[in-house]
Amino acid sequence: MSSPSSHPELSTPSSYPELSTPSSVTQMSSPLSDPMMSSPSFDTSTSYPSSSNVSQDKCFKYDVFISFRGMDTRRNFTDHLHAAFYRSGIFPFRDDEELRRGETISDQLIKAIEDSRSAVVVLSPNYASSSWCLGELMKILQCKKVLGQIVLPIFYNVEPTNVRQQKGGFGDAFNELAENQMDPMKVQKWREALTEVANLSGQDSMNL
């Protein structure tokens, strides 16, 4: 793994000063082996592709890409997850939602997803209300197929069935976005991506 100093964009959050101390970082052998995820259901040995399935020629810049809806999780769950990764020597990429422009994810963000060994998708009530989040999700699933990227969905205050079928409050958020989308093929691809990620073995945030 590379060191945090080699990634200036991955500066340690000011709210976690202890993370800047080298002795607080413990090198981990697995990209998702964080202590807060130590329950048996987080064992990736059977649920996810092994590292041998990832292209041997690929040099990854980040250990994990975190896809999330900031209005739901930035100041609580995602912040804690981000900090926990750092404490374990797992170097994450988390995009700055406040700097997003337009509806299409940037080339820089696409590159960050491609340069990540794994991805955590935090599926929260308003995740599907963002075309940006859905664009991230589609790219992540593409990298799962092409690069063997490990993908771990976390269902944050949502039911997997509602994500899979775009129902309930999660479905309402998605349908509101879909109604304003002029390209029906894009809407269909979003639906397929949500169904696919909901079918992966994941975690309920209430059980972490």
Side-chain angles (χ1 to χ4, degrees):
M1 289 183 183
S2 54
S3 65
S5 60
S6 64
H7 305 313
E9 68 272 40
L10 295 180
S11 56
T12 301
S14 58
S15 55
Y16 310 112
E18 72 277 10
L19 301 182
S20 61
T21 305
S23 61
S24 68
V25 177
T26 303
Q27 294 298 322
M28 307 295 286
S29 59
S30 168
L32 292 178
S33 56
D34 184 81
M36 73 174 286
M37 299 179 179
S38 58
S39 62
S41 57
F42 259 93
D43 180 4
T44 62
S45 60
T46 57
S47 299
Y48 305 102
S50 66
S51 58
S52 61
N53 291 331
V54 180
S55 173
Q56 298 300 311
D57 297 328
K58 177 69 176 176
C59 181
F60 294 99
K61 187 176 181 181
Y62 311 106
D63 292 317
V64 58
F65 181 96
I66 305 175
S67 179
F68 67 101
R69 187 70 164 113
M71 64 187 295
D72 290 339
T73 70
R74 176 180 290 279
R75 300 304 178 190
N76 42 67
F77 180 79
T78 301
D79 267 358
H80 293 305
L81 180 65
H82 189 258
F85 279 141
Y86 262 108
R87 284 196 295 268
S88 299
I90 297 171
F91 305 121
F93 181 97
R94 178 176 64 165
D95 72 300
D96 190 340
E97 189 177 54
E98 295 176 0
L99 298 180
R100 294 175 178 178
R101 297 290 185 272
E103 296 184 352
T104 304
I105 62 174
S106 66
D107 291 341
Q108 181 183 8
L109 201 58
I110 289 174
K111 187 67 165 58
I113 295 172
E114 293 175 344
D115 285 346
S116 298
R117 187 180 302 276
S118 59
V120 169
V121 182
V122 184
L123 295 157
S124 58
N126 291 292
Y127 185 91
S129 69
S130 168
S131 59
W132 192 287
C133 287
L134 295 173
E136 286 182 354
L137 177 61
M138 290 172 62
K139 182 61 183 180
I140 287 168
L141 294 174
Q142 181 188 54
C143 287
K144 177 179 180 293
K145 293 182 178 70
V146 176
L147 301 176
Q149 188 181 78
I150 298 168
V151 179
L152 175 66
I154 295 177
F155 301 96
Y156 184 84
N157 294 334
V158 296
E159 293 291 334
T161 298
N162 287 342
V163 176
R164 185 180 302 113
Q165 300 178 0
Q166 298 90 59
K167 291 185 176 180
F170 187 91
D172 292 341
F174 175 81
N175 290 330
E176 184 175 348
L177 174 66
E179 287 175 1
N180 295 319
Q181 174 55 242
M182 302 301 294
D183 185 352
M185 289 300 296
K186 178 175 287 188
V187 174
Q188 181 59 30
K189 289 179 180 179
W190 286 342
R191 290 188 182 280
E192 292 171 356
L194 289 169
T195 298
E196 181 177 348
V197 74
N199 282 331
L200 298 177
S201 295
Q203 277 288 319
D204 186 329
S205 63
M206 299 300 294
N207 297 326
L208 294 181

